Amino acid sequence: YYNVHNNIIINNKHQLKLHTVLIFNIVGQIIVQFNNIALRETEIAIPFAYSEGLYLVKIETDQGEETYKILKY
């Protein structure tokens, strides 16, 4: 989820190893990419100081991948 402190918060309650986090704008352009994230924390904050709009966050782990919609307003 996005918070008012210009961060995207990833809740990692099962403490999975995150391989890649990609953030796309609505046009499909990658605007942020993190690779080989060795964190196994329950909550991870990613700095995000982009303009208002809809973004997609794709998270790749050992268990597969998921994509989430984030609305920044």
Side-chain angles (χ1 to χ4, degrees):
Y1 65 91
Y2 173 76
N3 69 12
V4 295
H5 302 291
N6 287 327
N7 289 319
I8 290 178
I9 307 298
I10 297 174
N11 288 322
N12 187 12
K13 63 183 174 182
H14 299 293
Q15 296 182 334
L16 300 173
K17 182 179 178 187
L18 304 181
H19 294 295
T20 306
V21 175
L22 299 164
I23 302 175
F24 300 88
N25 62 19
I26 198 64
V27 181
Q29 299 167 317
I30 296 174
I31 56 172
V32 177
Q33 180 173 352
F34 294 97
N35 294 315
N36 301 319
I37 303 169
L39 298 175
R40 288 182 181 239
E41 298 178 18
T42 56
E43 188 172 280
I44 300 165
I46 296 175
F48 191 76
Y50 291 88
S51 61
E52 295 178 351
L54 182 64
Y55 296 89
L56 300 174
V57 179
K58 182 178 178 181
I59 302 170
E60 298 174 359
T61 70
D62 290 333
Q63 305 267 319
E65 60 184 51
E66 291 285 335
T67 302
Y68 303 93
K69 294 179 186 175
I70 299 289
L71 178 62
K72 182 177 180 185
Y73 57 92

